[in-house]
Structure formats: structure tokens, C-alpha cells
Amino acid sequence: MTITQLSDQSSIPYELLLLADPSREIIDTYIFDSRLFIATAEGETIGCYVLSQVDQATVEIRNIAVREPHQRKGIGKLLLADAIRRSKLEGFQTIVIGTGNSSLGQLYLYQKSGFRISAIRPDFFTQRYKEKIIENGIECRDMIVLSREL
Ligand code: COA
């Protein structure tokens, strides 16, 4: 598997990004000011992550996704490790990632990768997304922000 930055804005893999963020309208509010990294194996795009600079010291993973047939094989963990390694090399001090209160697998994965809960943004999802999001039988309402020192 190789992970490279996408340079061609015309080939943004929205179907992949939509796995992590169900609104294309919202994706378009950040994707053009961010960097998109694509994981490729045997010529197929199998995963991606998006990095947005928050301030001089902080970078945020805005979207991380692995194509469904390739999930639960360790690729998400490798994408996170790549984002951490890259951000550290670039001199950032903190990396953050936000997820929903209902995203139990993601909360598990991020904490296993060294992130700690640093903030909660109540009603983040209910205020921004028209459709109700249900995961693991729980309504996704609040954003849980997790941070990791680099
Ligand atoms: N439920 C429970 N555990 C999960 C999980 C889930 N949904 N997703 C991952 N895990 C666990 C794995 O079991 C594994 O645990 P282990 O290290 O103890 O074996 C660990 O997390 C790493 O899993 P990995 O295989 O690297 O994850 P992945 O390749 O499936 O990628 C996502 C994780 C979240 C990127 C992927 O599932 C995905 O694209 N989901 C849809 C989009 C999404 O929700 N993105 C995040 C938005 S915040």
C-alpha cells in the first residue's frame, strides 16, 4: 500500500469521503483548503485522510475513511500512523481528530492510537446535519474531540 498526497483536485474520491462525513456540502467547506492523502493498493484507491492546518502548532484530521471491503484489516491504523508521522515531521505539536458520540469503533481506534479526549462540542452534528445520524443504536449528536501530542 502506498500513501500519497492527491494533487489533482478534479479527482477527489467523494464516495470515500462520504463514508466519514455524510454531507458533500460540508465536505466542500473544508476539502479545498486541506490536503488529501490517498492510500492505493494494486491500482485501487482503498482509503484516505484529510489534513487541515488549524494554527501554527495544530493540525486536524478532518476525514479518514477506508473502503468497506478493506475495513477492519489494519488500514485505518496505518493511515492514522501516517498522518501522525507526517505532521510531526512538518513540525506540528498537536494533532486533533473529531468524531461522533455514537462512533464507538472510531473512539476505540483513536484512543488506541494515542489520542485522548480533549473537548466535547455539544450538538455539533444535530445543528449542522439535516438528516438524523444513528450509529450503534445511538443518535449522533455531539462531537468528541481527541488530541495527541506529537
Ligand atoms: N467497531 C469496532 N472496532 C473497530 C471499528 C468499528 N467500527 N473500526 C475499527 N475498529 C478497531 C479494529 O477492530 C482494530 O482493533 P485492534 O487494533 O484491537 O485489532 C482497530 O480498531 C484498528 O482497526 P483498522 O482495521 O485499522 O480500522 P479500519 O481500516 O477499518 O479503519 C475507519 C477505521 C474508521 C477509518 C473505517 O472503519 C471507516 O472508513 N469507517 C467509515 C468512515 C468513518 O467512520 N470514518 C471516521 C469518521 S470520524
Side-chain angles (χ1 to χ4, degrees), residues 19 64-66 72-74 76-77 99 105-106 108 110 112:
L19 294 175
I64 178 165
V66 173
R72 307 295 283 269
K73 294 178 181 169
K77 213 190 258 184
T99 193
Q106 289 78 347
Y108 167 83
Y110 304 154
K112 263 200 112 178

Side-chain angles (χ1 to χ4, degrees), residues 108-139:
Y108 167 83
L109 166 60
Y110 304 154
Q111 290 179 85
K112 263 200 112 178
S113 299
F115 288 80
R116 289 184 64 187
I117 293 174
S118 53
I120 297 174
R121 299 175 69 181
D123 286 308
F124 179 91
F125 294 99
T126 32
Q127 281 166 4
R128 285 170 180 76
Y129 292 81
K130 290 182 198 122
E131 305 286 327
K132 217 181 225 193
I133 307 167
I134 307 281
E135 272 179 305
N136 301 303
I138 307 168
E139 185 178 353

